[in-house]
Amino acid sequence: MVYKFTTTEELLTFLNEELLSAAEAAEVLGISKARLGQLVKDGKLVAAKEQPKIFLKSMLLEKKDELESLRKKFRPYDE
């Protein structure tokens, strides 16, 4: 995906809306920060920046859908 910005304000708006900290990412995914770190370590989730870890929202939402389907499959008693 290619992003193009014509102004600095557009870029800053994008960054503020689309980049999430590790704590925010864990909250979106409904997991602990430790589990988030494990997903990154295992290569199942890629951080946009390593230190501090920052994640692209669109990638997190894709992973969230995957995790929710796995929870339904392997933990049906949680519903």
Side-chain angles (χ1 to χ4, degrees), residues 2 12 17 24 27-29 35 38 45 48 52 58 60-61:
V2 177
L12 292 174
E17 291 175 357
E24 292 168 324
E27 185 177 329
V28 165
L29 296 175
R35 177 67 180 129
Q38 191 63 45
L45 186 63
S58 60
L60 289 174
L61 295 176

Side-chain angles (χ1 to χ4, degrees), residues 9-76:
E9 289 77 22
E10 285 180 10
L11 173 61
L12 292 174
T13 298
F14 171 82
L15 294 174
N16 282 319
E17 291 175 357
E18 298 299 324
L19 295 180
L20 302 175
S21 68
E24 292 168 324
E27 185 177 329
V28 165
L29 296 175
I31 59 176
S32 68
K33 285 179 27 179
R35 177 67 180 129
L36 180 72
Q38 191 63 45
L39 288 173
V40 172
K41 183 179 177 184
D42 293 345
K44 295 180 180 178
L45 186 63
V46 178
K49 183 177 178 193
E50 282 301 315
Q51 290 299 325
K53 287 203 182 333
I54 297 176
F55 298 89
L56 192 58
K57 189 175 186 178
S58 60
M59 292 176 70
L60 289 174
L61 295 176
E62 287 176 18
K63 180 56 75 174
K64 180 180 179 179
D65 291 341
E66 178 186 333
L67 291 175
E68 286 174 351
S69 68
L70 289 172
R71 283 185 196 119
K72 287 179 184 175
K73 181 177 180 181
F74 295 108
R75 298 180 68 176

